[in-house]
Amino acid sequence: MTAVLESAAPTTSVGAPAATRKNRKRHLALRLLAVVVLLLLWELTARLMRNPTFIPSPAAVWEQLVKTSTEGYSGHLLIEHLGVSLRRILIGSLIGVGAGLVVGVVMGTVRWVRVVAEPVVTFVRALPPLAYFSLFIIWFGIDETPKLWLLSIAALPPVAVATAAAVHAAPTGLVEAARALGAGRAEVVRDVVLPHALPEIFTGIRLAVGIAYSSVVAAETINGVPGIGGMVRDAQRYSQTDVVVLGLFAIGISGLLIDALLRQAEDRLVPWRGRV
């Protein structure tokens, strides 16, 4: 019986990666097929509508991609517009995520802080970005500062809420065991609470970065060139729908890449997710 089990074990370990590779290839093929189908439907709709101002064709958007990448738009290349927006998103997300982690940990560990701060965080989370962007413009002018404030405030609530919920739900048994072994409050938070909360915290971070990215167009409505949101706003004013669609694709594709990087970081930093 032992010999049979030992001989079967290598087959399972070798077969599992092969099955995983096969599933990945199948998923990739399905995604490519979905993209092709969507492009065909887009092309068909554009030809039926015959109104490029309403629905530009894929060829028109591709032409604008080549033009903005070589000649530029509003005095800047497409990569420059995207790079400036990504820098704003990176700085704003780092500030918002950092503040959200601190607020979330304190809310999750100190009851009276949670009672006081939770309604405030929920209130801010319910506000649309444009609702307080005008206030930031009055306070800080039209340069970079109000844009970074907007993205930071937009990124803070998801991280704070996810962190507070995860920290508050830390296993009581593990916390009491750590205290019984002589661990202080800070050590319990560092060695027990935060490792348990990391999966939910990463989910909050991914949501926060996505919200900050979706707010970039609002952040760049005022003096947003160079910037991909500013480019979209300028194109909208002149009914250049193909440039608007190109900007949306640039935002969406770069957003997918950023989310993929965050997921890889999560897999490396939280290998125990789903196993405990």
Side-chain angles (χ1 to χ4, degrees), residues 48-134:
L48 291 175
M49 294 294 297
R50 296 182 180 179
N51 185 355
T53 303
F54 189 71
I55 298 182
S57 66
V61 176
W62 177 262
E63 182 180 349
Q64 283 295 341
L65 171 62
V66 175
K67 185 177 180 180
T68 55
S69 299
T70 55
E71 302 176 15
Y73 185 88
S74 295
H76 300 275
L77 297 176
L78 177 63
I79 191 66
E80 294 174 339
H81 286 293
L82 186 59
V84 171
S85 293
L86 289 176
R87 179 179 60 81
R88 289 167 178 159
I89 292 166
L90 176 62
I91 297 174
S93 295
L94 286 176
I95 296 172
V97 168
L101 286 173
V102 173
V103 172
V105 170
V106 176
M107 286 175 57
T109 54
V110 183
R111 181 177 177 81
W112 71 265
V113 173
R114 182 168 65 253
V115 173
V116 173
E118 190 171 26
V120 178
V121 173
T122 303
F123 175 80
V124 174
R125 184 163 58 98
L127 291 176
L130 283 175
Y132 45 86
F133 186 48
S134 300

